[in-house]
Amino acid sequence: MRGLLFFQWIIALTFLLVTQVSQGDEVVSSAEPAIRLPKLLVFSAIEKSQNSLISAQVLVEAYRRIGVSIQVRFYPAKRALLLSNNGLVDGELFRIRGIEEQYQNLRPVPVPVNYLEGVVYAKQLNFQVTGWDSIKPYRIGIRRGVKFTEKGTVGMNTKIANSNEELFTLLEAGHLDVIALARLNGIKTVRDMGLDGREPLPGYLVKHPLIHYLHKRHEALVPKIQQELEAMEREGVIRKIREQQVAAMLSPNSN
């Protein structure tokens, strides 16, 4: 009898040990694999954009926190998107929300790294800007590849320029009634071109959060960099970087 009980106890103990080992194996096998972080990521961005400079500073800090260096390459707006969507760089520095609907190889990191205000400049006109419909009656200049103005002016009388400088040149020559662009880019271009006293019309067309995009091959990185950007947002770091960059841009010594 004692031998039988001892034998049953041995079987029960063996079953318990096997079960524990099996459960332990399941925990190990179900754990998410560690993400291998690249040493360097290269992002495309819109050339001659003040929002590019601000967004770059934010993302340099965010990626530094996870031990990754980044390099930003500046291109014409449309070309920048084609390069990032086709995987010739690792992602897009920033764009407005929703571009992934058209550029389906890009994955959004849904924390704003910056924001833009769309404003209007005019030479002969003066009115309160209250959204896109308020400029519908006019000849409108927009910059090629800048998605927020392309989307906002669908069906309107637009002329596309290749740079902000070209937009202001066309406006000054009377070939356009108004031009639409980001507020910071307008301020910088007016200064660079020596158009003293030229101010945007009161009000704004739209205000857009700007978010970072990674190419789909880096999709596993999205939650990680999102976490860092959320922390920076809570800490006020993103706001501080933007304020510092804007102050530097508006400084009399800025060039």
Side-chain angles (χ1 to χ4, degrees):
M1 183 67 177
R2 288 181 180 178
L4 179 60
L5 289 173
F6 179 78
F7 182 69
Q8 290 174 336
W9 180 80
I10 290 294
I11 292 175
L13 179 60
T14 302
F15 176 79
L16 178 62
L17 290 172
V18 169
T19 302
Q20 288 177 336
V21 170
S22 176
Q23 288 174 341
D25 288 343
E26 288 176 3
V27 170
V28 171
S29 63
S30 65
E32 293 183 4
I35 299 172
R36 179 174 294 179
L37 295 175
K39 292 182 179 179
L40 175 69
L41 291 171
V42 178
F43 301 125
S44 56
I46 302 172
E47 64 183 2
K48 295 185 178 180
S49 166
Q50 297 306 301
N51 285 310
S52 288
L53 300 179
I54 294 169
S55 302
Q57 290 299 314
V58 171
L59 288 169
V60 163
E61 172 61 17
Y63 279 98
R64 183 196 66 78
R65 293 183 177 203
I66 63 171
V68 176
S69 297
I70 71 169
Q71 182 183 103
V72 181
R73 297 178 183 172
F74 298 97
Y75 301 97
K78 187 173 183 178
R79 186 181 175 200
L81 265 178
L82 292 175
L83 289 170
S84 58
N85 188 62
N86 291 336
L88 299 176
V89 292
D90 296 304
E92 187 80 12
L93 189 70
F94 76 89
R95 289 285 172 154
I96 62 173
R97 294 183 189 274
I99 62 161
E100 68 274 17
E101 296 172 10
Q102 181 178 356
Y103 298 89
Q104 297 182 359
N105 292 329
L106 296 178
R107 301 293 182 263
V109 181
V111 181
V113 297
N114 192 12
Y115 67 87
L116 70 78
E117 288 179 315
V119 298
V120 176
Y121 282 83
K123 185 178 181 182
Q124 303 294 338
L125 300 170
N126 188 13
F127 59 92
Q128 179 75 29
V129 178
T130 55
W132 295 107
D133 284 346
S134 61
I135 63 171
K136 192 172 184 179
Y138 305 113
R139 296 173 299 165
I140 307 161
I142 62 174
R143 182 177 170 183
R144 187 183 309 278
V146 176
K147 293 303 174 184
F148 91 93
T149 54
E150 288 182 355
K151 288 184 176 182
T153 57
V154 169
M156 299 185 191
N157 180 12
T158 58
K159 182 176 180 63
I160 298 175
N162 291 316
S163 68
N164 295 326
E165 290 82 1
E166 185 181 352
L167 284 176
F168 276 97
T169 299
L170 291 169
L171 180 66
E172 292 298 309
H175 298 306
L176 297 170
D177 299 315
V178 297
I179 59 175
L181 71 170
R183 181 184 296 277
L184 294 181
N185 293 339
I187 293 171
K188 183 67 164 57
T189 307
V190 164
R191 172 177 291 185
D192 290 348
M193 294 181 68
L195 300 173
D196 297 336
R198 182 74 71 231
E199 298 284 345
L201 297 181
Y204 59 89
L205 294 165
V206 69
K207 187 172 181 178
H208 275 300
L210 301 174
I211 63 173
H212 177 45
Y213 286 85
L214 285 163
H215 187 266
K216 64 182 181 181
R217 67 173 174 269
H218 297 302
E219 189 166 7
L221 272 177
V222 170
K224 196 167 187 66
I225 200 64
Q226 178 180 343
Q227 183 178 16
E228 297 303 329
L229 286 170
E230 287 172 342
M232 289 171 63
E233 190 174 52
R234 288 193 303 271
E235 296 162 10
V237 173
I238 295 176
R239 175 184 53 78
K240 185 176 180 180
I241 289 173
R242 189 176 197 280
E243 289 174 352
Q244 289 175 341
Q245 290 294 314
V246 170
M249 185 197 75
L250 297 178
S251 167
N253 297 323
S254 173
N255 51 33

